[in-house]
């Protein structure tokens, strides 16, 4: 099941070549070590640990979200059953802790990972609760609540990846904290750009159907901004009924949801740059970190 979740095999164990994801967290861990002035290899254990935790979180997320497909294949719980998938995720998390604990400075690294996991779980819990809240009225989800959720659910592990590489590279607390801040802001920007693509992205690029997030009635950042506009009631009615997602998309854009989301993403990228300025990194590490930023948030939006 673990090999299947990484795309290394088919159900039953036959070898396979499938997409293993973008490798963003692994790259951040290695660059975090280099930014701390350590050899790149010092970040390898951090890269392994964060990818194990990330995959663990995906196995559990797919169950909670009732998602049947990931990267063009059945999710682990669909292929093997819910109980086995939960246990596979638990095993991956245990391996992540074991990987870090075996390293010099492992105790500090495990504490860093545990703090990030606590935030990740909090973010996932908030995301689940958002689904049951109304589209309009005093109980509706506000954009600031969404920002906090995105920081926890997406940003915590990105920040942890960069900080862990630095921790295992022997960096001080201030450097690790700056890299963690950068990763958290990066996570919010990445999530919001993903929200824009989930409504207006080209399916040939995203691999998702056009207006997919609207069909699934997700409370994404552009939607939440638009719901606070004078057109919010009409948009809410369309989202609640699931009818005419193309009309809903046009209204959300007219209400400023798309432009506000892109502006919010840019604001967090500026915050990433500010945090990275506090990291005494080599020119090469700084350049590669900024290249990674461009890859993640300046996609076809």
């Amino acid at each position: 099941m673990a090999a299947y979740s990484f795309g290394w095999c088919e159900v039953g164990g036959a070898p396979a070549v499938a997409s293993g994801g973008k490798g963003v967290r692994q790259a951040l861990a290695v660059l975090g070590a280099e930014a701390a002035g350590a050899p790149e290899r010092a970040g390898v254990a951090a890269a392994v640990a964060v990818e194990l935790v990330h995959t663990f979180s995906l196995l559990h997320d797919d169950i909670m979200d009732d998602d049947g497909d990931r990267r063009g294949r059945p999710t682990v719980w669909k292929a093997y059953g819910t109980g086995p998938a939960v246990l596979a995720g638990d095993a991956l998390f245990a391996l992540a802790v074991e990987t870090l604990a075996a390293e010099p400075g492992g105790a500090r690294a495990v504490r860093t990972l545990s703090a990030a996991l606590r935030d990740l779980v909090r973010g996932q819990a908030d995301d689940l609760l958002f689904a049951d809240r109304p589209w309009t009225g005093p109980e509706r989800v506000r954009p600031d609540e969404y920002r906090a959720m995105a920081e926890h659910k997406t940003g915590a592990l990105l920040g942890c990846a960069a900080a862990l590489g630095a921790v295992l590279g022997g960096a001080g607390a201030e450097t690790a904290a700056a890299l963690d801040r950068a990763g958290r802001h990066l996570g919010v920007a990445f999530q919001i750009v993903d929200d824009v693509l989930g409504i207006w992205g080209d399916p040939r690029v995203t691999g998702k159907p056009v207006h997919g997030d609207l069909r699934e009635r997700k409370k994404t950042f552009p939607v939440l901004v638009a719901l606070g506009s004078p057109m919010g009631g009409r948009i809410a009615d369309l989202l609640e009924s699931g009818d005419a997602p193309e009309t809903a998309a046009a209204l959300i854009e007219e209400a400023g949801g798309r432009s506000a989301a892109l502006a919010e993403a840019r604001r967090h990228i500026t915050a990433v740059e500010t945090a990275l300025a506090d990291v005494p990194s080599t020119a090469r590490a700084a350049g590669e970190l900024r290249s990674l930023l461009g890859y993640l948030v300046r996609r076809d939006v």
Side-chain angles (χ1 to χ4, degrees), residues 148-199:
M149 180 278 293
E151 179 192 333
H152 292 138
K153 183 179 177 181
T154 305
L157 200 55
L158 289 173
C160 176
L164 272 181
V167 166
L168 293 182
E174 290 185 3
T175 295
L179 287 166
D180 180 70
R181 284 197 306 276
R184 285 172 180 264
H185 283 293
L186 175 59
V188 178
F190 177 79
Q191 184 62 61
I192 291 175
V193 169
D194 232 33
D195 291 347
V196 173
L197 292 173
I199 299 175

Side-chain angles (χ1 to χ4, degrees), residues 74-111:
T75 50
V76 175
W77 75 272
K78 273 289 187 182
Y80 291 93
T82 302
V86 169
L87 291 174
D90 293 345
L92 292 175
F93 173 64
L95 285 172
V97 174
E98 183 180 344
T99 298
L100 290 179
E103 293 294 306
R108 181 182 169 202
V110 169
R111 287 194 298 272

Side-chain angles (χ1 to χ4, degrees), residues 135-136 227 231-242:
W135 293 104
T136 58
L227 287 171
M231 289 182 279
R234 186 179 172 195
I235 293 169
D237 289 341
L238 287 170
L239 294 172
E240 186 62 38
S241 68

Side-chain angles (χ1 to χ4, degrees), residues 34-174:
E34 189 178 352
E40 292 176 341
R41 63 179 178 274
V44 170
V48 170
V50 293
E51 188 59 16
L52 288 167
V53 167
H54 176 56
T55 305
F56 140 74
S57 72
L58 294 181
L59 264 63
H60 287 198
D61 284 359
D62 287 340
I63 294 168
M64 288 183 281
D65 296 340
D66 199 31
D67 286 336
D69 293 286
R70 179 173 291 280
R71 297 171 188 154
R73 303 199 306 166
T75 50
V76 175
W77 75 272
K78 273 289 187 182
Y80 291 93
T82 302
V86 169
L87 291 174
D90 293 345
L92 292 175
F93 173 64
L95 285 172
V97 174
E98 183 180 344
T99 298
L100 290 179
E103 293 294 306
R108 181 182 169 202
V110 169
R111 287 194 298 272
T112 301
L113 180 66
S114 297
L117 181 61
R118 183 179 64 240
D119 280 350
L120 187 155
V121 170
R122 177 181 173 186
Q124 178 64 20
D126 285 342
D127 197 26
L128 288 174
L129 291 171
F130 288 175
D132 293 327
R133 289 171 61 179
W135 293 104
T136 58
E139 296 302 315
R140 73 179 179 90
V141 181
R142 310 287 175 167
D144 59 336
E145 293 179 282
Y146 183 91
R147 291 185 198 97
M149 180 278 293
E151 179 192 333
H152 292 138
K153 183 179 177 181
T154 305
L157 200 55
L158 289 173
C160 176
L164 272 181
V167 166
L168 293 182
E174 290 185 3

